[in-house]
Amino acid sequence: MKRFLVFLVLILTFVVSAYAFKVIMVTDTGGLGDKSFNDGTWAGIQMAVEEFGLEANVIQSYEQADYIPNLTKAAQEADVVFAVGFMMTDALFKVAPQFPGTYFVGIDITPPEGSEYPNVMTFTFKENEAAFLVGYVAAAMTKSNIVGFIGGIPIPPVERFRYGFEAGVKTYSELHDKDVQILKGYTMVFDDPKKGKDLAMSQFAEGADIIFHASGACGNGVIEAAKEKFTALAGTSDLAGLIDYYWKNGTGLFAMGVDADQDYLAPGAVLASAMKRVDMAAYYGVRDAFEGTFEGGMKVLGLKEKGVGISPMKYTKGLVPNSVIAELYYIINLVNEGILSIPITQEELDSFSVPEIEFPF
Amino acid sequence: MKKRIMKINLSAFIVPVMSVIIALLIASVVILLIGKNPLIAYYEMLKGAFGSSQDFINTIVKTTPLILTGLAVGFGFRAGVFNIGAEGQMSMGALFATIAGMNLGGFPPYIAIPITILSGMLMGALWASIAGFLKARTGAHEVITTIMLNWISYYLGNYMVAGPLSVGSGTPKSPEIAASAKLPVIIKSQSIELTPGIFIAILMAIVIYVLLEKTSTGYEIKAVGFNPYAAEYGGISIAKNVVLAMAISGALAGLAGALEVMGLHYRYLGTLTSGKGFDGISISLIGQNHPIGIIFAALLIGSLRTGSNAMQFAGIPKHIVMIIQGIVIFLVAADRIVKTILTYRKKHKAGVEK
């Protein structure tokens, strides 16, 4: 009897593990630990894993040439395969048609023209809308009237962050008669914090006091630079000390985070983050596959869908004047109602003119 | 005399093999420390590198450029130049192979393929001979100049795919090369493809072996490598041979880039080399700078890399492989350690038998 029970349990575990719904996420070369994009997706998958009791695994890629082999292997083993990051677009659409029985979710991926498959769902984000908000805050908060932008490789999502940021800065400047200048630079990679730090240091040296980054793991260096500079200025690195210094002297040096809520990386020295809710997208992807409501095609998440936004500024909210926060919420409403549209291309940015916004307060 | 040569060959073979074994042992301690079973890890790794035809193709695809960058660096070593610039030369080779390949649409493959390959090799050779020329003419050390040239090629490549050559959305990339300039696919399994690039790489290893061992040019290059002043005294031009050695070394790295474009990506990408030029340094070390040894060393690193991707499916981080690779290189570079262990055991055994 006992032996029979053991046997039964063994069979059961075997059956369960063989049929367990399995999710495998393949990262781009940035990999886990970027504290933004890959980590955000992984967090979303974890959310779904806990809710539905699934199995999940993550595979990191060394180089571009690994994408196809890794996705292929993942597709052979899993029910849902995640391809994370823009760089994997071509590989995803080469592998996915080979496995019509496997669901593929592409995060931050736009399908190339003519490649729509029922088993591939991709998410992109209106980065410009999130960046507009942080741009607006940056312009409101800068004391030197110089803000910085640091991008990774100038690929479309990074550029959309820049368009939105520039438009946000411009909007605040015109509404409040402030002349704010923007320094721009690119690290040309996504995985080298040292490059981000060097670039941030040089922008601080040129007089910027707030730097927004959209550069993946390079941004860890940007944030480190802001923390170092602000700490040196204030003579302390703890949150209370930094805030005290700001109130006493009216200046500070800040970074602005991207993709995830990066405010916690250096409390006090990260003013706000332009968030892409990759975690929500990842969660939706797994959920739809698991519940059988999976729909192929591209989904674009913006402010309205709560797919992007500005971080709650957990540490720095006290520094930002209430009027700015109120204006921010008013603007979010205008975007949601379709009254204000935020430039999403270089042409739109060039022809962007600040609308007459009358704040009701 | 003959016996002596055999012995040298044997130890050249034993040191790398022993180093790999020791490295696997040390890494298994690390795997144990992170709470995983090293036997399962190595099994998954082996299976991931050779377990199925797809895995095997992946390993070969990864090995191909590594053979060539290994040869590039190894050839340089034999000629007494330390070419750290294989990375940049590979990138430049890939870039110019792409530019040539894009414009050869009107030609049949038997013309387009050789021209594309040659433009990659030529550009790699030119890029490397800048450093060779600077060394011969001004004495500037090639370690410094090739590192500088790496950066120039890196940013040039990034500029080209973000600017003049840029196409489409997505990853910054160049347009695809013409169909006639692509290497033919000999085996295709789903999206995994094998091209004859590996045969070209092995052929080059044999060519380099013959060049070094059987020709007077090779003799001159080696002589300059052994002792430049003695060579010069013997009537061999240092300047000529340094430039020539760098050019050949660069041509090999350029070929690596060209084959990556023609057989794998079909276009130029800014991140295409991803450290393979630097891997060439470790591979030539492990292969003891011998062209045939380099083939096996490249296969070792290539299969480790491919296997490490699969190892992740068993929940073991890919970085373990970096540890293994690091220890192997350390032990091969400090080959005295391994030799001491080996001779100690021999002595010890002899003592016991007595």
Side-chain angles (χ1 to χ4, degrees):
Chain A
M1 187 60 197
K2 209 172 188 180
R3 195 178 270 179
F4 176 73
L5 267 179
V6 170
F7 182 70
L8 201 73
V9 167
L10 269 179
I11 288 281
L12 212 67
T13 37
F14 179 74
V15 169
V16 167
S17 66
Y19 282 93
F21 197 82
K22 197 165 180 191
V23 184
I24 294 184
M25 157 180 161
V26 180
T27 74
D28 60 6
T29 51
L32 277 192
D34 61 356
K35 301 205 169 77
S36 68
F37 211 74
N38 290 298
D39 283 356
T41 309
W42 186 232
I45 293 174
Q46 288 299 328
M47 237 153 55
V49 160
E50 270 166 39
E51 190 174 332
F52 306 115
L54 316 173
E55 203 180 305
N57 201 351
V58 56
I59 307 300
Q60 315 208 31
S61 306
Y62 278 109
E63 49 161 324
Q64 206 124 0
D66 283 336
Y67 294 158
I68 288 180
N70 281 349
L71 284 172
T72 303
K73 237 181 155 47
Q76 286 161 354
E77 301 209 358
D79 302 280
V80 184
V81 175
F82 271 78
V84 183
F86 206 82
M87 312 285 267
M88 295 180 75
T89 308
D90 296 347
L92 174 65
F93 285 92
K94 250 189 191 161
V95 173
Q98 315 276 346
F99 296 92
T102 306
Y103 295 119
F104 288 85
V105 182
I107 299 285
D108 215 18
I109 284 176
T110 315
E113 254 170 65
S115 39
E116 293 255 324
Y117 301 100
N119 64 329
V120 187
M121 181 195 275
T122 64
F123 289 96
T124 56
F125 302 86
K126 293 181 181 161
E127 289 88 358
N128 51 326
E129 296 188 353
F132 184 90
L133 302 181
V134 295
Y136 195 86
V137 173
M141 293 292 289
T142 178
K143 291 291 168 353
S144 63
N145 286 354
I146 302 175
V147 296
F149 170 83
I150 292 179
I153 303 171
I155 55 176
V158 169
E159 290 299 85
R160 287 199 290 270
F161 272 120
R162 180 170 65 80
Y163 306 143
F165 184 73
E166 288 191 28
V169 170
K170 191 174 170 190
T171 304
Y172 184 90
S173 309
E174 285 196 14
L175 292 178
H176 296 267
D177 284 330
K178 203 170 172 180
D179 182 23
V180 181
Q181 195 196 333
I182 305 175
L183 305 175
K184 283 169 272 190
Y186 294 90
T187 54
M188 297 313 288
V189 289
F190 284 111
D191 52 5
D192 189 353
K194 173 91 177 48
K195 287 214 177 88
K197 189 170 175 181
D198 289 347
L199 203 49
M201 283 300 190
S202 79
Q203 290 194 350
F204 280 131
E206 282 177 65
D209 60 351
I210 301 173
I211 299 175
F212 170 54
H213 90 86
S215 59
C218 295
N220 295 349
V222 176
I223 291 171
E224 202 181 299
K227 188 180 170 182
E228 236 176 76
K229 294 289 272 187
F230 198 5
T231 301
L233 194 67
T236 167
S237 69
D238 66 279
L239 178 59
L242 294 181
I243 291 178
D244 280 348
Y245 179 87
Y246 185 85
W247 282 120
K248 221 172 277 163
N249 301 280
T251 61
L253 294 165
F254 301 99
M256 289 182 133
V258 81
D259 295 342
D261 184 348
Q262 296 190 320
D263 295 9
Y264 79 97
L265 289 178
V270 181
L271 190 55
S273 299
M275 295 202 312
K276 283 159 90 163
R277 298 297 305 272
V278 285
D279 53 338
M280 289 317 289
Y283 172 82
Y284 294 144
V286 181
R287 186 196 62 191
D288 289 2
F290 184 73
E291 292 182 342
T293 54
F294 195 93
E295 259 176 39
M298 183 172 77
K299 316 242 179 298
V300 184
L301 306 180
L303 270 178
K304 201 171 173 186
E305 295 81 17
K306 302 218 181 326
V308 301
I310 185 168
S311 65
M313 296 187 267
K314 196 168 157 195
Y315 308 100
T316 47
K317 204 165 190 169
L319 304 181
V320 183
N322 283 337
S323 61
V324 175
I325 305 259
E327 287 173 26
L328 210 55
Y329 279 102
Y330 191 75
I331 284 174
I332 291 176
N333 258 331
L334 292 182
V335 175
N336 285 347
E337 285 165 17
I339 296 168
L340 175 63
S341 93
I342 291 161
I344 197 161
T345 60
Q346 183 69 49
E347 292 77 46
E348 279 181 40
L349 175 66
D350 292 339
S351 61
F352 176 73
S353 62
V354 179
E356 291 287 321
I357 298 176
E358 293 270 343
F359 293 109
F361 35 80
Chain B
M1 186 60 203
K2 203 164 187 193
K3 218 174 168 191
R4 218 176 81 90
I5 292 167
M6 284 292 290
K7 225 178 185 173
I8 289 168
N9 279 343
L10 200 63
S11 93
F13 181 68
I14 283 180
V15 169
V17 171
M18 280 303 289
S19 306
V20 171
I21 294 172
I22 297 172
L24 288 174
L25 286 176
I26 298 177
S28 60
V29 175
V30 180
I31 299 174
L32 274 176
L33 284 176
I34 58 171
K36 303 278 180 185
N37 184 341
L39 289 176
I40 291 177
Y42 292 150
Y43 171 72
E44 290 291 337
M45 195 163 92
L46 209 61
K47 206 176 75 174
F50 303 105
S52 72
S53 60
Q54 283 191 350
D55 298 328
F56 196 59
I57 294 173
N58 285 337
T59 302
I60 292 176
V61 167
K62 262 214 191 318
T63 303
T64 306
L66 295 177
I67 293 177
L68 289 166
T69 54
L71 280 175
V73 180
F75 183 82
F77 274 133
R78 294 292 285 272
V81 288
F82 191 3
N83 178 13
I84 299 190
E87 184 84 5
Q89 292 141 22
M90 181 179 169
S91 177
M92 293 304 283
L95 182 61
F96 276 78
T98 308
I99 293 173
M102 278 160 49
N103 295 308
L104 288 169
F107 294 91
Y110 58 84
I111 295 177
I113 290 177
I115 293 182
T116 312
I117 288 183
L118 281 179
S119 30
M121 290 179 79
L122 205 65
M123 195 55 213
L126 271 175
W127 200 247
S129 28
I130 297 174
F133 177 78
L134 285 173
K135 183 180 172 110
R137 183 52 70 86
T138 68
H141 202 287
E142 73 278 8
V143 167
I144 310 292
T145 49
T146 50
I147 289 180
M148 297 301 175
L149 286 166
N150 277 348
W151 287 109
I152 297 171
S153 65
Y154 175 76
Y155 284 109
L156 183 65
N158 273 325
Y159 165 73
M160 292 302 277
V161 286
L165 280 184
S166 163
V167 72
S169 63
T171 319
K173 61 193 170 197
S174 75
E176 276 206 6
I177 57 173
S180 58
K182 292 178 183 172
L183 290 176
V185 175
I186 48 178
I187 304 176
K188 183 174 167 77
S189 166
Q190 286 168 334
S191 323
I192 315 274
E193 296 170 347
L194 181 68
T195 63
I198 183 71
F199 301 119
I200 300 177
I202 293 175
L203 184 71
M204 283 321 282
I206 297 168
V207 168
I208 292 299
Y209 175 77
V210 172
L211 175 68
L212 276 174
E213 306 300 335
K214 310 283 180 207
T215 67
S216 54
T217 312
Y219 180 81
E220 285 191 7
I221 286 175
K222 277 192 298 182
V224 172
F226 274 130
N227 187 335
Y229 302 110
E232 191 171 37
Y233 187 70
I236 299 172
S237 158
I238 302 181
K240 183 192 125 197
N241 279 291
V242 164
V243 176
L244 183 65
M246 278 306 281
I248 293 174
S249 176
L252 290 165
L255 176 60
L259 291 185
E260 287 285 271
V261 168
M262 298 167 68
L264 188 62
H265 301 294
Y266 302 130
R267 55 172 99 239
Y268 182 80
L269 304 157
T271 55
L272 172 136
T273 50
S274 63
K276 294 192 187 78
F278 297 116
D279 289 333
I281 300 170
S282 13
I283 286 161
S284 75
L285 257 176
I286 298 172
Q288 312 268 306
N289 299 336
H290 189 288
I292 309 302
I294 283 169
I295 296 179
F296 288 102
L299 181 65
L300 170 75
I301 301 296
S303 50
L304 279 177
R305 291 278 164 83
T306 315
S308 76
N309 283 333
M311 213 163 71
Q312 294 185 71
F313 286 87
I316 293 143
K318 64 174 183 179
H319 303 100
I320 293 291
V321 164
M322 299 315 253
I323 297 178
I324 297 174
Q325 196 182 326
I327 300 171
V328 172
I329 293 158
F330 176 79
L331 290 174
V332 172
D335 59 348
R336 216 158 262 244
I337 299 175
V338 179
K339 279 182 181 154
T340 313
I341 296 173
L342 286 174
T343 50
Y344 173 80
R345 281 194 48 192
K346 225 177 259 169
K347 267 184 208 159
H348 195 69
K349 251 188 202 161
V352 171
E353 273 164 14
K354 240 182 238 169

